Amino acid sequence: MSWLEKVRNKIPFIVKRETPDNLWHRCPHCQTMIFNKDYEENLSVCPKCGFHGRIGSRARFDSLFDEGDYSVLPPPVVPEDPLKFRDTKRYVDRLKAARLKSGENDALLNAKGRLAGRQTVIGVQDFSFMGGSMGLAVGSAFVAGVKAAIECHSPYIIFTAAGGARMQEGILSLMQMPRSTAAIAELREAGLPYIVVLTDPTTGGVTASYAMLGDVQIAEPGALIGFAGQRVIESTIREKLPEGFQRAEYLLEHGMIDMVVPRAEMRDRLISLVDYLLPANEAA
């Protein structure tokens, strides 16, 4: 405790004011302090350096659908702890904590609404829910989103954010890779667009499956995209990798993705792509 604080504590008529901890946000890239309300209104993008922070599924839906009007699709019912897994904590306890923190049932949420008047189904992975990891619930939600898009003859747009497969579900989590790939094949058979937006971070089994199978591959600026981590790759091949080789801009330069689109321009770009891929006379 400083000398000034000791003096203030001893003077009875000085009123202490409690300052909420959530008034300000510090940009992790440029360290600028941003008023939290301004930061949220700017879609969690730093107004000084353009760093794209992570946002939740409902904030994403609000920024994309016409007038923020949409209906969330009910999450599929799946076995919650099929392997009765336990590490330092029980898996069921980890799920309870993640649900309490995020307010969502699992890491992938689908919603149906209109994008420039056109019926569209959008899925969003939330990294704050156990690192956006892919398990039975995420795989089932992805398949449900595809089926909803086929039912209403609309595009399916997925925003990915994941650390990979969910280890607490073992081989069952890995089986979501071919399962989601089969669902995408059904969407293509129906002649409907599948658009992927890669957000920070998209890694592991998600990258090795539905995240890289879009008709169009978009990424947000600076997004980390890859399968294994940089240190793992370097220790395997015993070579130093280029700076930023797993970032969106590097992947665009080397032909792995089609475009990098800032969050403020995402809605307009998606509208243009959907209009091109699914002309109005082919829509329902």
Side-chain angles (χ1 to χ4, degrees), residues 182-204:
I184 295 167
E186 292 182 22
L187 194 68
R188 294 211 169 108
E189 286 176 10
L192 298 170
Y194 173 56
I195 299 173
V196 178
V197 183
L198 303 150
T199 74
D200 184 69
T202 298
T203 60

Side-chain angles (χ1 to χ4, degrees), residues 31-199:
Q31 305 303 311
T32 298
M33 295 297 293
I34 311 160
F35 191 47
N36 207 40
K37 184 179 179 182
D38 294 339
Y39 181 67
E40 291 174 356
E41 289 177 353
N42 202 42
L43 303 177
S44 298
V45 177
C46 176
K48 182 177 180 181
C49 70
F51 179 83
H52 282 53
R54 296 166 185 165
I55 62 174
S57 51
R58 294 181 189 266
R60 184 81 69 177
F61 294 146
D62 290 340
S63 71
L64 294 170
F65 287 114
D66 295 354
E67 300 175 356
D69 184 22
Y70 58 88
S71 58
V72 174
L73 302 184
V77 178
V78 299
E80 291 206 339
D81 188 9
L83 304 181
K84 306 301 179 187
F85 191 92
R86 182 185 184 116
D87 44 64
T88 55
K89 292 182 181 179
R90 294 190 307 159
Y91 179 37
V92 289
D93 293 335
R94 291 190 183 279
L95 285 172
K96 289 176 183 177
R99 286 168 181 161
L100 185 63
K101 177 183 176 183
S102 67
E104 305 297 347
N105 188 67
D106 214 281
L108 175 56
L109 195 66
N110 290 303
K112 182 167 63 175
R114 295 197 174 272
L115 196 64
R118 187 195 295 271
Q119 189 79 261
T120 307
V121 179
I122 298 177
V124 178
Q125 277 183 278
D126 188 350
F127 191 77
S128 69
F129 192 105
M130 297 187 70
S133 52
M134 176 181 61
L136 279 167
V138 167
S140 297
F142 182 89
V143 172
V146 169
K147 290 188 180 299
I150 294 172
E151 185 178 340
C152 61
H153 199 74
S154 73
Y156 186 51
I157 303 171
I158 183 76
F159 286 75
T160 62
R166 190 169 296 175
M167 69 173 189
Q168 291 89 349
E169 295 185 19
I171 191 64
L172 297 175
S173 65
L174 296 179
M175 287 303 298
Q176 306 315 306
M177 298 168 65
R179 187 183 180 200
S180 60
T181 303
I184 295 167
E186 292 182 22
L187 194 68
R188 294 211 169 108
E189 286 176 10
L192 298 170
Y194 173 56
I195 299 173
V196 178
V197 183
L198 303 150
T199 74

Side-chain angles (χ1 to χ4, degrees), residues 125 134 160-165 177 180-181 196 198-199 201-214 217 224-228 246 251 256-257:
Q125 277 183 278
M134 176 181 61
T160 62
M177 298 168 65
S180 60
T181 303
V196 178
L198 303 150
T199 74
T202 298
T203 60
V206 171
T207 307
S209 55
Y210 58 84
M212 299 304 290
L213 293 175
Q217 298 287 139
L224 175 67
I225 303 162
F227 180 65
Q246 286 184 319
L251 297 182
M256 290 291 292
I257 60 176

